[in-house]
Amino acid sequence: MARSQLLLRILQVLLLANLAAAYTKLSEESLRAIPGPGDDFDIKTGKLLSPILIPRVPGTAGSIAVQNHFLNFFKSKLPKWNVELQNSTSRTPVSGNKEIPFVNLIFTRDPPWTTPGFSSRLTLVAHYDSKLTPAGFIGATDSAAPCAMIMHAARSIDAALTAKWDKMQADGMDVEFEDQQGIQVIFLDGEEAFKVWTSQDSLYGAKSLAAEMETTAFAAQSTFHNAISTISLFVLLDLLGADDPVVPSYFKTTHWAYKKMANLEERLRSLSLFESASKGASRRVTASFLPDSDKKSNRWLGGAIEDDHLPFMERGVEILHIIPSPFPRVWHTREDDGAHLHIPSVADWSKLITGFAAEWMELEGFLNANHTPSNHDRERKYARVPHANDKSEL
């Protein structure tokens, strides 16, 4: 291992330790304040989900329509987020000499006092493209529903981010040395294979974006040396929306984050804030989405599912992969459509991802826009976080 890579790895380990210490659990009051998606997840008329439930193969009109859906949502509902499109083209096994366009969409919100290169980012990710075959394939779990979950999470914490950061500035904190944690949403194009999954025919958008972020350098005095090093945790959602999912913990280095999300799920269930908990008996012994909190050290076998995280993981990014194993029954069939989504589970995942993002961003006391933070909230210290710098188709 090169000296520079070794140093980067050491600094990343230190970063994860600091992040684990800074992660702030939400109170019961705040958990109850996490909104559900309501009618926005209606498969016919829902403002978030239904526009994504169409075929959206890269380079097609459906793909462009979904891109516009994302752009219009952020520009109209979340105007404080920075919007960026990252474009690439590639030939595929079915396109001959024709270059297929791929468009990744990146939405970012950093503390208002930061400049590029000084803020790390929790990064929520899903792919939005759908498979070319079978004809008319929708991909509701793969990954229309995960995209809608992330949209809901971003919308649900936006006012709280504003309230927290406004309060920090109003309280006269030396923000230059305080909270430097932002948040980023990435919707990736071209995850699916056009013919048969191989290292060449897959992950088109992810490979392009990871390579570009690696070469996007910041000023020498910046905390982070390039764009990819700002990713504090890459949370990849995929194949979510079927009933009774089982999501293992895939990576030992981010098992602590998995445990935080699993604990959050347990607390939401204990407060009867999950819809799936009251919708009939589970077929499994446990109804938990995330059952691996107590995974033993001898169970880490090194295997993982090939997915959009790979080009980022190869560049040292820490990954929390939220994908069920086994895959949903409808995987890569025409039945992976809106009618086969388990909407209570979709709503619960939305709350869970929202809560995880709120805890990561330390939004305790700010989730209710009309809520006045308690004395405890006012006295909280906002810790600055220093930073360094196969989804197999079986």
Side-chain angles (χ1 to χ4, degrees), residues 34-38 41 48 145-157 237 240 264 268 274 289 343-357:
I34 297 174
F41 279 13
L48 294 187
C147 288
M149 296 169 192
I150 291 173
M151 295 170 75
H152 173 75
R155 179 181 62 183
S156 299
I157 67 170
L237 311 185
L240 301 179
L264 177 60
L268 287 165
F274 263 21
F289 293 166
I343 296 301
S345 293
V346 177
D348 289 348
W349 277 116
S350 300
K351 280 193 169 185
L352 184 57
I353 299 306
T354 299
F356 182 80

PDB file of all heavy atoms in Angstrom, residues 34-38 41 48 145-157 237 240 264 268 274 289 343-357:
ATOM      1  N   ILE A  34     -41.166  12.973  13.420  1.00  0.00           N
ATOM      2  CA  ILE A  34     -40.771  12.565  12.065  1.00  0.00           C
ATOM      3  C   ILE A  34     -42.028  12.341  11.236  1.00  0.00           C
ATOM      4  O   ILE A  34     -42.863  11.500  11.570  1.00  0.00           O
ATOM      5  CB  ILE A  34     -39.928  11.276  12.105  1.00  0.00           C
ATOM      6  CG1 ILE A  34     -38.627  11.510  12.851  1.00  0.00           C
ATOM      7  CG2 ILE A  34     -39.652  10.778  10.692  1.00  0.00           C
ATOM      8  CD1 ILE A  34     -37.801  10.240  13.044  1.00  0.00           C
ATOM      9  N   PRO A  35     -42.195  13.058  10.150  1.00  0.00           N
ATOM     10  CA  PRO A  35     -43.438  12.923   9.368  1.00  0.00           C
ATOM     11  C   PRO A  35     -43.421  11.673   8.505  1.00  0.00           C
ATOM     12  O   PRO A  35     -42.371  11.204   8.061  1.00  0.00           O
ATOM     13  CB  PRO A  35     -43.433  14.184   8.503  1.00  0.00           C
ATOM     14  CG  PRO A  35     -41.981  14.487   8.305  1.00  0.00           C
ATOM     15  CD  PRO A  35     -41.297  14.088   9.607  1.00  0.00           C
ATOM     16  N   GLY A  36     -44.582  11.139   8.282  1.00  0.00           N
ATOM     17  CA  GLY A  36     -44.738  10.077   7.297  1.00  0.00           C
ATOM     18  C   GLY A  36     -45.020  10.682   5.930  1.00  0.00           C
ATOM     19  O   GLY A  36     -45.357  11.866   5.814  1.00  0.00           O
ATOM     20  N   PRO A  37     -44.903   9.893   4.869  1.00  0.00           N
ATOM     21  CA  PRO A  37     -45.097  10.427   3.516  1.00  0.00           C
ATOM     22  C   PRO A  37     -46.553  10.645   3.131  1.00  0.00           C
ATOM     23  O   PRO A  37     -46.843  11.386   2.201  1.00  0.00           O
ATOM     24  CB  PRO A  37     -44.456   9.368   2.627  1.00  0.00           C
ATOM     25  CG  PRO A  37     -44.593   8.102   3.415  1.00  0.00           C
ATOM     26  CD  PRO A  37     -44.436   8.499   4.859  1.00  0.00           C
ATOM     27  N   GLY A  38     -47.485   9.984   3.842  1.00  0.00           N
ATOM     28  CA  GLY A  38     -48.895  10.161   3.533  1.00  0.00           C
ATOM     29  C   GLY A  38     -49.223   9.843   2.086  1.00  0.00           C
ATOM     30  O   GLY A  38     -48.733   8.878   1.498  1.00  0.00           O
ATOM     31  N   PHE A  41     -46.958   8.979  -1.377  1.00  0.00           N
ATOM     32  CA  PHE A  41     -46.502   7.676  -1.841  1.00  0.00           C
ATOM     33  C   PHE A  41     -47.618   6.863  -2.488  1.00  0.00           C
ATOM     34  O   PHE A  41     -47.457   5.657  -2.718  1.00  0.00           O
ATOM     35  CB  PHE A  41     -45.879   6.886  -0.686  1.00  0.00           C
ATOM     36  CG  PHE A  41     -44.449   7.257  -0.390  1.00  0.00           C
ATOM     37  CD1 PHE A  41     -43.870   8.397  -0.928  1.00  0.00           C
ATOM     38  CD2 PHE A  41     -43.676   6.481   0.444  1.00  0.00           C
ATOM     39  CE1 PHE A  41     -42.564   8.750  -0.654  1.00  0.00           C
ATOM     40  CE2 PHE A  41     -42.355   6.808   0.730  1.00  0.00           C
ATOM     41  CZ  PHE A  41     -41.800   7.952   0.175  1.00  0.00           C
ATOM     42  N   LEU A  48     -44.556  12.321  -4.819  1.00  0.00           N
ATOM     43  CA  LEU A  48     -43.157  11.896  -4.806  1.00  0.00           C
ATOM     44  C   LEU A  48     -42.939  10.619  -5.601  1.00  0.00           C
ATOM     45  O   LEU A  48     -42.025  10.544  -6.423  1.00  0.00           O
ATOM     46  CB  LEU A  48     -42.670  11.687  -3.365  1.00  0.00           C
ATOM     47  CG  LEU A  48     -42.592  12.906  -2.468  1.00  0.00           C
ATOM     48  CD1 LEU A  48     -41.923  12.544  -1.145  1.00  0.00           C
ATOM     49  CD2 LEU A  48     -41.846  14.045  -3.134  1.00  0.00           C
ATOM     50  N   ALA A 145     -38.928   3.324  -5.446  1.00  0.00           N
ATOM     51  CA  ALA A 145     -39.307   3.580  -4.053  1.00  0.00           C
ATOM     52  C   ALA A 145     -38.138   4.123  -3.230  1.00  0.00           C
ATOM     53  O   ALA A 145     -38.322   5.094  -2.475  1.00  0.00           O
ATOM     54  CB  ALA A 145     -39.898   2.322  -3.423  1.00  0.00           C
ATOM     55  N   PRO A 146     -36.920   3.548  -3.328  1.00  0.00           N
ATOM     56  CA  PRO A 146     -35.798   4.159  -2.595  1.00  0.00           C
ATOM     57  C   PRO A 146     -35.557   5.625  -2.956  1.00  0.00           C
ATOM     58  O   PRO A 146     -35.222   6.431  -2.085  1.00  0.00           O
ATOM     59  CB  PRO A 146     -34.614   3.269  -2.988  1.00  0.00           C
ATOM     60  CG  PRO A 146     -35.232   1.922  -3.193  1.00  0.00           C
ATOM     61  CD  PRO A 146     -36.545   2.220  -3.861  1.00  0.00           C
ATOM     62  N   CYS A 147     -35.726   5.991  -4.218  1.00  0.00           N
ATOM     63  CA  CYS A 147     -35.572   7.407  -4.597  1.00  0.00           C
ATOM     64  C   CYS A 147     -36.602   8.268  -3.875  1.00  0.00           C
ATOM     65  O   CYS A 147     -36.273   9.345  -3.347  1.00  0.00           O
ATOM     66  CB  CYS A 147     -35.718   7.560  -6.109  1.00  0.00           C
ATOM     67  SG  CYS A 147     -34.336   6.925  -7.080  1.00  0.00           S
ATOM     68  N   ALA A 148     -37.852   7.801  -3.837  1.00  0.00           N
ATOM     69  CA  ALA A 148     -38.902   8.561  -3.156  1.00  0.00           C
ATOM     70  C   ALA A 148     -38.633   8.649  -1.660  1.00  0.00           C
ATOM     71  O   ALA A 148     -38.902   9.681  -1.028  1.00  0.00           O
ATOM     72  CB  ALA A 148     -40.262   7.919  -3.422  1.00  0.00           C
ATOM     73  N   MET A 149     -38.110   7.579  -1.074  1.00  0.00           N
ATOM     74  CA  MET A 149     -37.761   7.608   0.351  1.00  0.00           C
ATOM     75  C   MET A 149     -36.740   8.705   0.642  1.00  0.00           C
ATOM     76  O   MET A 149     -36.848   9.439   1.635  1.00  0.00           O
ATOM     77  CB  MET A 149     -37.180   6.256   0.772  1.00  0.00           C
ATOM     78  CG  MET A 149     -38.128   5.090   0.675  1.00  0.00           C
ATOM     79  SD  MET A 149     -37.213   3.522   0.891  1.00  0.00           S
ATOM     80  CE  MET A 149     -38.459   2.331   0.381  1.00  0.00           C
ATOM     81  N   ILE A 150     -35.740   8.812  -0.214  1.00  0.00           N
ATOM     82  CA  ILE A 150     -34.694   9.816  -0.013  1.00  0.00           C
ATOM     83  C   ILE A 150     -35.257  11.226  -0.204  1.00  0.00           C
ATOM     84  O   ILE A 150     -34.914  12.155   0.552  1.00  0.00           O
ATOM     85  CB  ILE A 150     -33.513   9.546  -0.960  1.00  0.00           C
ATOM     86  CG1 ILE A 150     -32.786   8.259  -0.546  1.00  0.00           C
ATOM     87  CG2 ILE A 150     -32.544  10.726  -0.968  1.00  0.00           C
ATOM     88  CD1 ILE A 150     -31.703   7.812  -1.514  1.00  0.00           C
ATOM     89  N   MET A 151     -36.127  11.410  -1.190  1.00  0.00           N
ATOM     90  CA  MET A 151     -36.767  12.708  -1.372  1.00  0.00           C
ATOM     91  C   MET A 151     -37.531  13.104  -0.117  1.00  0.00           C
ATOM     92  O   MET A 151     -37.464  14.255   0.341  1.00  0.00           O
ATOM     93  CB  MET A 151     -37.703  12.664  -2.583  1.00  0.00           C
ATOM     94  CG  MET A 151     -37.000  12.446  -3.916  1.00  0.00           C
ATOM     95  SD  MET A 151     -38.162  12.118  -5.275  1.00  0.00           S
ATOM     96  CE  MET A 151     -38.830  13.760  -5.548  1.00  0.00           C
ATOM     97  N   HIS A 152     -38.269  12.154   0.437  1.00  0.00           N
ATOM     98  CA  HIS A 152     -39.033  12.432   1.658  1.00  0.00           C
ATOM     99  C   HIS A 152     -38.104  12.804   2.805  1.00  0.00           C
ATOM    100  O   HIS A 152     -38.386  13.744   3.569  1.00  0.00           O
ATOM    101  CB  HIS A 152     -39.874  11.213   2.026  1.00  0.00           C
ATOM    102  CG  HIS A 152     -40.558  11.342   3.352  1.00  0.00           C
ATOM    103  ND1 HIS A 152     -41.662  12.138   3.547  1.00  0.00           N
ATOM    104  CD2 HIS A 152     -40.269  10.783   4.567  1.00  0.00           C
ATOM    105  CE1 HIS A 152     -42.043  12.071   4.818  1.00  0.00           C
ATOM    106  NE2 HIS A 152     -41.207  11.254   5.453  1.00  0.00           N
ATOM    107  N   ALA A 153     -37.003  12.084   2.944  1.00  0.00           N
ATOM    108  CA  ALA A 153     -36.070  12.364   4.033  1.00  0.00           C
ATOM    109  C   ALA A 153     -35.476  13.764   3.901  1.00  0.00           C
ATOM    110  O   ALA A 153     -35.388  14.514   4.888  1.00  0.00           O
ATOM    111  CB  ALA A 153     -34.962  11.314   4.061  1.00  0.00           C
ATOM    112  N   ALA A 154     -35.063  14.118   2.684  1.00  0.00           N
ATOM    113  CA  ALA A 154     -34.481  15.441   2.468  1.00  0.00           C
ATOM    114  C   ALA A 154     -35.481  16.542   2.810  1.00  0.00           C
ATOM    115  O   ALA A 154     -35.145  17.529   3.480  1.00  0.00           O
ATOM    116  CB  ALA A 154     -34.012  15.574   1.021  1.00  0.00           C
ATOM    117  N   ARG A 155     -36.704  16.378   2.366  1.00  0.00           N
ATOM    118  CA  ARG A 155     -37.744  17.368   2.655  1.00  0.00           C
ATOM    119  C   ARG A 155     -38.033  17.456   4.150  1.00  0.00           C
ATOM    120  O   ARG A 155     -38.246  18.537   4.696  1.00  0.00           O
ATOM    121  CB  ARG A 155     -39.021  17.000   1.894  1.00  0.00           C
ATOM    122  CG  ARG A 155     -40.194  17.938   2.131  1.00  0.00           C
ATOM    123  CD  ARG A 155     -41.433  17.494   1.359  1.00  0.00           C
ATOM    124  NE  ARG A 155     -41.902  16.167   1.776  1.00  0.00           N
ATOM    125  CZ  ARG A 155     -42.924  15.538   1.213  1.00  0.00           C
ATOM    126  NH1 ARG A 155     -43.564  16.099   0.201  1.00  0.00           N
ATOM    127  NH2 ARG A 155     -43.302  14.353   1.639  1.00  0.00           N
ATOM    128  N   SER A 156     -38.014  16.311   4.821  1.00  0.00           N
ATOM    129  CA  SER A 156     -38.418  16.252   6.221  1.00  0.00           C
ATOM    130  C   SER A 156     -37.407  16.882   7.168  1.00  0.00           C
ATOM    131  O   SER A 156     -37.776  17.315   8.266  1.00  0.00           O
ATOM    132  CB  SER A 156     -38.669  14.797   6.626  1.00  0.00           C
ATOM    133  OG  SER A 156     -39.711  14.225   5.851  1.00  0.00           O
ATOM    134  N   ILE A 157     -36.130  16.920   6.783  1.00  0.00           N
ATOM    135  CA  ILE A 157     -35.119  17.498   7.685  1.00  0.00           C
ATOM    136  C   ILE A 157     -34.688  18.898   7.264  1.00  0.00           C
ATOM    137  O   ILE A 157     -33.911  19.536   7.975  1.00  0.00           O
ATOM    138  CB  ILE A 157     -33.877  16.591   7.796  1.00  0.00           C
ATOM    139  CG1 ILE A 157     -33.116  16.532   6.471  1.00  0.00           C
ATOM    140  CG2 ILE A 157     -34.260  15.196   8.288  1.00  0.00           C
ATOM    141  CD1 ILE A 157     -31.752  15.847   6.579  1.00  0.00           C
ATOM    142  N   LEU A 237     -29.352   2.877  -0.863  1.00  0.00           N
ATOM    143  CA  LEU A 237     -30.624   2.174  -0.752  1.00  0.00           C
ATOM    144  C   LEU A 237     -30.933   1.482  -2.067  1.00  0.00           C
ATOM    145  O   LEU A 237     -30.831   2.084  -3.136  1.00  0.00           O
ATOM    146  CB  LEU A 237     -31.762   3.146  -0.425  1.00  0.00           C
ATOM    147  CG  LEU A 237     -31.582   4.145   0.718  1.00  0.00           C
ATOM    148  CD1 LEU A 237     -32.884   4.903   0.939  1.00  0.00           C
ATOM    149  CD2 LEU A 237     -31.118   3.470   1.989  1.00  0.00           C
ATOM    150  N   LEU A 240     -35.739  -1.828  -2.023  1.00  0.00           N
ATOM    151  CA  LEU A 240     -36.585  -1.650  -0.846  1.00  0.00           C
ATOM    152  C   LEU A 240     -38.015  -1.368  -1.264  1.00  0.00           C
ATOM    153  O   LEU A 240     -38.255  -0.638  -2.225  1.00  0.00           O
ATOM    154  CB  LEU A 240     -36.063  -0.498   0.016  1.00  0.00           C
ATOM    155  CG  LEU A 240     -34.630  -0.623   0.531  1.00  0.00           C
ATOM    156  CD1 LEU A 240     -34.259   0.613   1.340  1.00  0.00           C
ATOM    157  CD2 LEU A 240     -34.448  -1.889   1.353  1.00  0.00           C
ATOM    158  N   LEU A 264     -32.512   2.685  15.981  1.00  0.00           N
ATOM    159  CA  LEU A 264     -33.552   3.648  15.639  1.00  0.00           C
ATOM    160  C   LEU A 264     -34.825   2.923  15.202  1.00  0.00           C
ATOM    161  O   LEU A 264     -35.935   3.291  15.609  1.00  0.00           O
ATOM    162  CB  LEU A 264     -33.053   4.574  14.529  1.00  0.00           C
ATOM    163  CG  LEU A 264     -34.040   5.606  13.982  1.00  0.00           C
ATOM    164  CD1 LEU A 264     -34.500   6.549  15.076  1.00  0.00           C
ATOM    165  CD2 LEU A 264     -33.393   6.389  12.842  1.00  0.00           C
ATOM    166  N   LEU A 268     -38.517   3.240  16.995  1.00  0.00           N
ATOM    167  CA  LEU A 268     -39.720   3.637  16.250  1.00  0.00           C
ATOM    168  C   LEU A 268     -40.803   2.579  16.377  1.00  0.00           C
ATOM    169  O   LEU A 268     -41.990   2.901  16.531  1.00  0.00           O
ATOM    170  CB  LEU A 268     -39.359   3.876  14.783  1.00  0.00           C
ATOM    171  CG  LEU A 268     -38.577   5.152  14.481  1.00  0.00           C
ATOM    172  CD1 LEU A 268     -37.972   5.100  13.079  1.00  0.00           C
ATOM    173  CD2 LEU A 268     -39.458   6.387  14.623  1.00  0.00           C
ATOM    174  N   PHE A 274     -44.333   2.739  13.369  1.00  0.00           N
ATOM    175  CA  PHE A 274     -44.174   2.040  12.094  1.00  0.00           C
ATOM    176  C   PHE A 274     -45.524   1.470  11.652  1.00  0.00           C
ATOM    177  O   PHE A 274     -46.242   0.868  12.450  1.00  0.00           O
ATOM    178  CB  PHE A 274     -43.163   0.901  12.231  1.00  0.00           C
ATOM    179  CG  PHE A 274     -41.775   1.264  11.774  1.00  0.00           C
ATOM    180  CD1 PHE A 274     -41.353   2.572  11.692  1.00  0.00           C
ATOM    181  CD2 PHE A 274     -40.879   0.275  11.423  1.00  0.00           C
ATOM    182  CE1 PHE A 274     -40.072   2.901  11.281  1.00  0.00           C
ATOM    183  CE2 PHE A 274     -39.592   0.579  11.003  1.00  0.00           C
ATOM    184  CZ  PHE A 274     -39.190   1.901  10.930  1.00  0.00           C
ATOM    185  N   PHE A 289     -36.454  -5.022  10.170  1.00  0.00           N
ATOM    186  CA  PHE A 289     -35.805  -4.881   8.863  1.00  0.00           C
ATOM    187  C   PHE A 289     -34.305  -5.156   8.977  1.00  0.00           C
ATOM    188  O   PHE A 289     -33.680  -5.637   8.030  1.00  0.00           O
ATOM    189  CB  PHE A 289     -35.979  -3.451   8.327  1.00  0.00           C
ATOM    190  CG  PHE A 289     -37.391  -3.066   7.962  1.00  0.00           C
ATOM    191  CD1 PHE A 289     -37.703  -1.726   7.746  1.00  0.00           C
ATOM    192  CD2 PHE A 289     -38.396  -4.012   7.819  1.00  0.00           C
ATOM    193  CE1 PHE A 289     -38.987  -1.341   7.396  1.00  0.00           C
ATOM    194  CE2 PHE A 289     -39.688  -3.638   7.473  1.00  0.00           C
ATOM    195  CZ  PHE A 289     -39.983  -2.292   7.265  1.00  0.00           C
ATOM    196  N   ILE A 343     -46.792  -0.763   0.696  1.00  0.00           N
ATOM    197  CA  ILE A 343     -46.720   0.658   1.025  1.00  0.00           C
ATOM    198  C   ILE A 343     -46.438   0.912   2.505  1.00  0.00           C
ATOM    199  O   ILE A 343     -45.675   1.844   2.835  1.00  0.00           O
ATOM    200  CB  ILE A 343     -47.984   1.385   0.558  1.00  0.00           C
ATOM    201  CG1 ILE A 343     -48.098   1.319  -0.978  1.00  0.00           C
ATOM    202  CG2 ILE A 343     -47.974   2.842   1.004  1.00  0.00           C
ATOM    203  CD1 ILE A 343     -46.912   1.946  -1.708  1.00  0.00           C
ATOM    204  N   PRO A 344     -46.987   0.127   3.442  1.00  0.00           N
ATOM    205  CA  PRO A 344     -46.593   0.358   4.846  1.00  0.00           C
ATOM    206  C   PRO A 344     -45.087   0.227   5.056  1.00  0.00           C
ATOM    207  O   PRO A 344     -44.487   1.019   5.794  1.00  0.00           O
ATOM    208  CB  PRO A 344     -47.362  -0.724   5.606  1.00  0.00           C
ATOM    209  CG  PRO A 344     -48.574  -0.976   4.764  1.00  0.00           C
ATOM    210  CD  PRO A 344     -48.080  -0.872   3.347  1.00  0.00           C
ATOM    211  N   SER A 345     -44.451  -0.742   4.405  1.00  0.00           N
ATOM    212  CA  SER A 345     -42.999  -0.882   4.537  1.00  0.00           C
ATOM    213  C   SER A 345     -42.269   0.282   3.874  1.00  0.00           C
ATOM    214  O   SER A 345     -41.254   0.764   4.394  1.00  0.00           O
ATOM    215  CB  SER A 345     -42.534  -2.210   3.919  1.00  0.00           C
ATOM    216  OG  SER A 345     -43.018  -3.310   4.660  1.00  0.00           O
ATOM    217  N   VAL A 346     -42.778   0.731   2.727  1.00  0.00           N
ATOM    218  CA  VAL A 346     -42.172   1.881   2.054  1.00  0.00           C
ATOM    219  C   VAL A 346     -42.226   3.102   2.964  1.00  0.00           C
ATOM    220  O   VAL A 346     -41.234   3.832   3.105  1.00  0.00           O
ATOM    221  CB  VAL A 346     -42.889   2.166   0.711  1.00  0.00           C
ATOM    222  CG1 VAL A 346     -42.307   3.414   0.055  1.00  0.00           C
ATOM    223  CG2 VAL A 346     -42.763   0.980  -0.231  1.00  0.00           C
ATOM    224  N   ALA A 347     -43.369   3.313   3.601  1.00  0.00           N
ATOM    225  CA  ALA A 347     -43.506   4.450   4.513  1.00  0.00           C
ATOM    226  C   ALA A 347     -42.574   4.318   5.713  1.00  0.00           C
ATOM    227  O   ALA A 347     -41.966   5.301   6.164  1.00  0.00           O
ATOM    228  CB  ALA A 347     -44.956   4.561   4.984  1.00  0.00           C
ATOM    229  N   ASP A 348     -42.430   3.098   6.214  1.00  0.00           N
ATOM    230  CA  ASP A 348     -41.560   2.888   7.373  1.00  0.00           C
ATOM    231  C   ASP A 348     -40.098   3.126   7.024  1.00  0.00           C
ATOM    232  O   ASP A 348     -39.344   3.723   7.806  1.00  0.00           O
ATOM    233  CB  ASP A 348     -41.745   1.469   7.910  1.00  0.00           C
ATOM    234  CG  ASP A 348     -43.097   1.271   8.583  1.00  0.00           C
ATOM    235  OD1 ASP A 348     -43.783   2.278   8.836  1.00  0.00           O
ATOM    236  OD2 ASP A 348     -43.475   0.109   8.836  1.00  0.00           O
ATOM    237  N   TRP A 349     -39.662   2.638   5.865  1.00  0.00           N
ATOM    238  CA  TRP A 349     -38.289   2.920   5.436  1.00  0.00           C
ATOM    239  C   TRP A 349     -38.063   4.424   5.338  1.00  0.00           C
ATOM    240  O   TRP A 349     -36.993   4.938   5.690  1.00  0.00           O
ATOM    241  CB  TRP A 349     -37.997   2.255   4.092  1.00  0.00           C
ATOM    242  CG  TRP A 349     -37.605   0.821   4.162  1.00  0.00           C
ATOM    243  CD1 TRP A 349     -38.283  -0.255   3.654  1.00  0.00           C
ATOM    244  CD2 TRP A 349     -36.416   0.281   4.763  1.00  0.00           C
ATOM    245  NE1 TRP A 349     -37.597  -1.422   3.913  1.00  0.00           N
ATOM    246  CE2 TRP A 349     -36.448  -1.125   4.577  1.00  0.00           C
ATOM    247  CE3 TRP A 349     -35.331   0.847   5.421  1.00  0.00           C
ATOM    248  CZ2 TRP A 349     -35.432  -1.963   5.039  1.00  0.00           C
ATOM    249  CZ3 TRP A 349     -34.321   0.008   5.891  1.00  0.00           C
ATOM    250  CH2 TRP A 349     -34.377  -1.372   5.702  1.00  0.00           C
ATOM    251  N   SER A 350     -39.064   5.148   4.870  1.00  0.00           N
ATOM    252  CA  SER A 350     -38.935   6.602   4.730  1.00  0.00           C
ATOM    253  C   SER A 350     -38.713   7.257   6.083  1.00  0.00           C
ATOM    254  O   SER A 350     -37.866   8.154   6.231  1.00  0.00           O
ATOM    255  CB  SER A 350     -40.184   7.187   4.067  1.00  0.00           C
ATOM    256  OG  SER A 350     -40.376   6.636   2.787  1.00  0.00           O
ATOM    257  N   LYS A 351     -39.473   6.825   7.082  1.00  0.00           N
ATOM    258  CA  LYS A 351     -39.282   7.361   8.429  1.00  0.00           C
ATOM    259  C   LYS A 351     -37.912   6.982   8.983  1.00  0.00           C
ATOM    260  O   LYS A 351     -37.241   7.788   9.639  1.00  0.00           O
ATOM    261  CB  LYS A 351     -40.384   6.846   9.356  1.00  0.00           C
ATOM    262  CG  LYS A 351     -41.708   7.572   9.240  1.00  0.00           C
ATOM    263  CD  LYS A 351     -42.604   7.209  10.397  1.00  0.00           C
ATOM    264  CE  LYS A 351     -43.826   8.120  10.447  1.00  0.00           C
ATOM    265  NZ  LYS A 351     -44.662   7.854  11.652  1.00  0.00           N
ATOM    266  N   LEU A 352     -37.504   5.745   8.730  1.00  0.00           N
ATOM    267  CA  LEU A 352     -36.227   5.273   9.266  1.00  0.00           C
ATOM    268  C   LEU A 352     -35.060   6.038   8.653  1.00  0.00           C
ATOM    269  O   LEU A 352     -34.131   6.454   9.364  1.00  0.00           O
ATOM    270  CB  LEU A 352     -36.086   3.772   9.000  1.00  0.00           C
ATOM    271  CG  LEU A 352     -34.853   3.077   9.573  1.00  0.00           C
ATOM    272  CD1 LEU A 352     -34.764   3.271  11.078  1.00  0.00           C
ATOM    273  CD2 LEU A 352     -34.891   1.581   9.229  1.00  0.00           C
ATOM    274  N   ILE A 353     -35.078   6.253   7.347  1.00  0.00           N
ATOM    275  CA  ILE A 353     -33.995   6.999   6.690  1.00  0.00           C
ATOM    276  C   ILE A 353     -34.012   8.458   7.142  1.00  0.00           C
ATOM    277  O   ILE A 353     -32.957   9.067   7.367  1.00  0.00           O
ATOM    278  CB  ILE A 353     -34.125   6.886   5.163  1.00  0.00           C
ATOM    279  CG1 ILE A 353     -34.031   5.422   4.720  1.00  0.00           C
ATOM    280  CG2 ILE A 353     -33.056   7.722   4.474  1.00  0.00           C
ATOM    281  CD1 ILE A 353     -32.788   4.703   5.212  1.00  0.00           C
ATOM    282  N   THR A 354     -35.215   9.017   7.303  1.00  0.00           N
ATOM    283  CA  THR A 354     -35.318  10.385   7.819  1.00  0.00           C
ATOM    284  C   THR A 354     -34.721  10.492   9.211  1.00  0.00           C
ATOM    285  O   THR A 354     -33.930  11.403   9.507  1.00  0.00           O
ATOM    286  CB  THR A 354     -36.787  10.833   7.858  1.00  0.00           C
ATOM    287  OG1 THR A 354     -37.333  10.812   6.530  1.00  0.00           O
ATOM    288  CG2 THR A 354     -36.925  12.241   8.427  1.00  0.00           C
ATOM    289  N   GLY A 355     -35.085   9.552  10.072  1.00  0.00           N
ATOM    290  CA  GLY A 355     -34.572   9.571  11.430  1.00  0.00           C
ATOM    291  C   GLY A 355     -33.065   9.387  11.492  1.00  0.00           C
ATOM    292  O   GLY A 355     -32.381  10.048  12.280  1.00  0.00           O
ATOM    293  N   PHE A 356     -32.540   8.490  10.651  1.00  0.00           N
ATOM    294  CA  PHE A 356     -31.099   8.271  10.621  1.00  0.00           C
ATOM    295  C   PHE A 356     -30.367   9.540  10.196  1.00  0.00           C
ATOM    296  O   PHE A 356     -29.364   9.934  10.802  1.00  0.00           O
ATOM    297  CB  PHE A 356     -30.762   7.127   9.671  1.00  0.00           C
ATOM    298  CG  PHE A 356     -29.296   6.799   9.599  1.00  0.00           C
ATOM    299  CD1 PHE A 356     -28.694   6.022  10.570  1.00  0.00           C
ATOM    300  CD2 PHE A 356     -28.510   7.283   8.563  1.00  0.00           C
ATOM    301  CE1 PHE A 356     -27.336   5.721  10.520  1.00  0.00           C
ATOM    302  CE2 PHE A 356     -27.150   6.991   8.495  1.00  0.00           C
ATOM    303  CZ  PHE A 356     -26.568   6.205   9.478  1.00  0.00           C
ATOM    304  N   ALA A 357     -30.877  10.188   9.150  1.00  0.00           N
ATOM    305  CA  ALA A 357     -30.258  11.440   8.696  1.00  0.00           C
ATOM    306  C   ALA A 357     -30.345  12.510   9.776  1.00  0.00           C
ATOM    307  O   ALA A 357     -29.395  13.271   9.997  1.00  0.00           O
ATOM    308  CB  ALA A 357     -30.929  11.916   7.412  1.00  0.00           C
TER     309      ALA A 357
END
